[in-house]
């Protein structure tokens, strides 16, 4: 079999698997399996009298030697009230090593700086990218904790992601954050731009809920508690960590391109849930990404580590290697990548 035929077969196979995940009758299956009808979707009025504080982080690999890597991480908070930004903070750029294997001194030091205690579990991932993400999470949780102590009763903290954690060291951290918010009357939610949450053995849940709302003529903005249907959600993605929140799908604006998954603590009353979604909808009318809460967009834009920042950190490291008597040959021997050479041709 020639290479072109092999390639075409692979493309057809992949397209077929995508079709299996999202079959033509996806909405009909979802309706029958979930039991949701028009009354299951809750309408929310875009209105909010408090502040919404968004928390997001960014990370980037600067150099990778194979045996260890160097990364940059930071987090930002952006708070809005009445359509105006009332608070913005960004943590200093942290440059850390993210070596694979047992333990990570930079993670231990940062965790202790943020939470005044060592992490209960070492950072032992073999993947530098995962290590970097865990270190970024540390900064995000610290920033959220700081804001939870400053916001007023009825304000809302919005995390980018979920209320679950990707590392056991953060298990108590997120619990403490939820407890602090509950104590001070500050609401908290997590918005996920892209979710792996599925139902019935692998069907994506957001387009199914969105398609059913469209067929039923449910007007935006709406939200749907997909956790309400017993046994609907596949739980494979949460087998390592307990589920802290109820899972919702929400379309926050009539001109939104798509819906999002939102996670809210399980113990919230219907009135608290409605207040959360009213706040999210109130801040979802930005023309750049209509339907996405713009405090989160602002936090994302101000915290992201762009190519220029990566290159600046890389050059600063090279300059300091030179001060230590290391040559370009030393640098290339540690961090050189033949892909850089291949890209020249």
């Amino acid at each position: 079999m020639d290479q072109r035929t092999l390639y075409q077969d692979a493309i057809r196979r992949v397209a077929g698997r995508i079709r299996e995940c999202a079959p033509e009758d996806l909405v009909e299956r979802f309706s029958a399996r979930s039991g949701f009808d028009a009354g299951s979707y809750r309408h929310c009025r875009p209105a909010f009298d408090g502040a919404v504080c968004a928390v997001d982080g960014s990370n980037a690999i600067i150099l990778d030697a194979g045996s260890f890597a160097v990364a940059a991480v930071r987090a930002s908070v952006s708070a809005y009230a009445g359509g105006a930004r009332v608070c913005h903070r960004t943590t200093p750029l942290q440059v850390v090593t993210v070596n694979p294997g047992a333990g990570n001194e930079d993670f231990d030091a940062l965790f202790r700086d943020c939470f005044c205690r060592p992490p209960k579990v070492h950072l032992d991932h073999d993947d530098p990218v995962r290590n970097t993400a865990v270190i970024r999470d540390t900064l995000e949780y610290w920033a959220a904790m700081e804001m939870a102590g400053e916001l007023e009763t009825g304000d809302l903290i919005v995390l980018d992601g979920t209320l679950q954690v990707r590392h056991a060291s953060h298990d108590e951290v997120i619990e403490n954050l939820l407890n602090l918010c509950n104590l001070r009357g500050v609401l908290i939610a997590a918005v996920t731009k892209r979710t792996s949450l599925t139902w019935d053995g692998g069907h994506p849940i957001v387009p199914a809920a969105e398609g059913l709302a469209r067929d039923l003529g449910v007007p935006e903005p709406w939200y749907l508690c997909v956790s309400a249907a017993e046994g609907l959600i596949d739980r494979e993605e949460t087998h390592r960590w307990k589920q802290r929140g109820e899972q919702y799908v929400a379309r926050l604006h009539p001109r939104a391109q798509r819906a999002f998954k939102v996670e809210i603590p399980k113990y919230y009353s219907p009135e608290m849930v409605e207040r959360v979604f009213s706040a999210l909808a109130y801040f979802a009318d930005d023309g750049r990404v209509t339907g996405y809460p713009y405090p989160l967009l602002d936090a994302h834009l101000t915290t992201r580590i762009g190519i220029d920042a990566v290159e600046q950190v890389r050059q600063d490291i090279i300059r300091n290697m030179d001060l230590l008597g290391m040559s370009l040959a030393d640098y290339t021997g540690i961090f050189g990548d033949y892909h850089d050479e291949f890209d020249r041709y």
Side-chain angles (χ1 to χ4, degrees), residues 186-204:
V186 175
L187 300 168
I188 187 167
V191 176
T192 305
K193 293 185 289 293
R194 183 175 59 189
T195 178
S196 59
L197 203 65
T198 58
W199 64 280
D200 198 30
H203 297 309

Side-chain angles (χ1 to χ4, degrees), residues 254-265:
R255 294 194 302 275
Q257 288 190 357
R258 60 189 178 92
F260 297 100
K261 194 208 81 171
V262 180
E263 190 173 352
I264 295 176

Side-chain angles (χ1 to χ4, degrees), residues 37-103:
D37 57 19
S40 305
Y41 289 79
R42 308 298 298 174
H43 182 73
C44 55
R45 185 171 63 92
F48 195 62
D49 57 0
V52 169
C53 178
V55 182
D56 197 9
S58 182
N59 57 272
I61 298 293
I62 305 297
L63 295 166
D64 191 348
S67 58
F68 74 98
V70 179
V73 296
R74 67 182 171 198
S76 289
V77 297
S78 290
Y80 280 76
R85 190 167 75 177
V86 295
C87 175
H88 174 71
R89 299 173 190 167
T90 299
T91 66
L93 191 69
Q94 301 282 337
V95 180
V96 296
T97 55
V98 282
N99 53 291

Side-chain angles (χ1 to χ4, degrees), residues 102-116:
N104 184 289
E105 292 182 0
D106 288 346
F107 170 68
D108 292 349
L110 181 63
F111 193 99
R112 188 177 291 105
D113 287 345
C114 288
F115 305 116
C116 302

Side-chain angles (χ1 to χ4, degrees), residues 20-315:
E20 290 174 3
C21 289
E24 190 174 359
D25 61 345
L26 178 71
V27 172
E28 290 79 3
R29 292 191 194 186
F30 183 69
S31 177
R33 176 69 179 80
S34 67
F36 292 142
D37 57 19
S40 305
Y41 289 79
R42 308 298 298 174
H43 182 73
C44 55
R45 185 171 63 92
F48 195 62
D49 57 0
V52 169
C53 178
V55 182
D56 197 9
S58 182
N59 57 272
I61 298 293
I62 305 297
L63 295 166
D64 191 348
S67 58
F68 74 98
V70 179
V73 296
R74 67 182 171 198
S76 289
V77 297
S78 290
Y80 280 76
R85 190 167 75 177
V86 295
C87 175
H88 174 71
R89 299 173 190 167
T90 299
T91 66
L93 191 69
Q94 301 282 337
V95 180
V96 296
T97 55
V98 282
N99 53 291
N104 184 289
E105 292 182 0
D106 288 346
F107 170 68
D108 292 349
L110 181 63
F111 193 99
R112 188 177 291 105
D113 287 345
C114 288
F115 305 116
C116 302
R117 65 178 187 277
K120 67 177 183 180
V121 178
H122 288 301
L123 185 56
D124 293 337
H125 294 317
D126 289 331
D127 182 4
V129 175
R130 287 189 66 190
N131 285 343
T132 306
V134 171
I135 295 174
R136 181 201 67 210
D137 290 346
T138 303
L139 286 177
E140 289 188 32
Y141 292 139
W142 173 81
M145 193 82 74
E146 291 290 298
M147 293 308 301
E150 298 179 22
L151 293 172
E152 302 294 332
T153 298
D155 289 346
L156 171 64
I157 291 177
V158 184
L159 304 180
D160 179 67
T162 75
L163 297 181
Q164 299 176 57
V165 295
R166 74 181 86 223
H167 192 260
S169 63
H170 292 141
D171 204 26
E172 292 180 355
V173 172
I174 192 69
E175 290 290 346
N176 290 338
L177 173 60
L178 294 176
N179 289 338
L180 178 59
C181 287
N182 193 39
L183 178 66
R184 303 199 69 251
V186 175
L187 300 168
I188 187 167
V191 176
T192 305
K193 293 185 289 293
R194 183 175 59 189
T195 178
S196 59
L197 203 65
T198 58
W199 64 280
D200 198 30
H203 297 309
I205 203 162
V206 172
E210 197 168 19
L212 182 57
R214 185 169 52 249
D215 285 1
L216 294 171
V218 178
E220 299 88 353
W222 53 256
Y223 60 94
L224 172 71
C225 182
V226 293
S227 300
E230 185 67 29
L232 173 67
I233 298 175
D234 299 330
R235 293 294 182 183
E236 285 81 357
E237 69 166 9
T238 63
H239 71 281
R240 291 187 61 191
W241 309 104
K242 63 184 179 181
Q243 192 78 39
R244 291 179 177 82
E246 295 286 0
Q247 307 295 325
Y248 293 80
V249 175
R251 189 176 174 92
L252 299 172
H253 194 278
R255 294 194 302 275
Q257 288 190 357
R258 60 189 178 92
F260 297 100
K261 194 208 81 171
V262 180
E263 190 173 352
I264 295 176
K266 288 186 175 182
Y267 51 83
Y268 276 16
S269 67
E271 292 75 22
M272 295 167 74
V273 171
E274 183 176 0
R275 182 170 173 81
V276 168
F277 283 105
S278 290
L280 295 178
Y282 180 74
F283 286 98
D285 62 350
D286 189 290
R288 293 170 294 177
V289 189
T290 305
Y292 186 69
Y294 59 76
L296 270 176
L297 174 63
D298 188 52
H300 168 78
L301 293 176
T302 54
T303 198
R304 66 181 175 182
I305 302 171
I307 296 175
D308 290 345
V310 169
E311 188 58 33
Q312 181 65 59
V313 174
R314 184 180 292 127
Q315 292 303 319

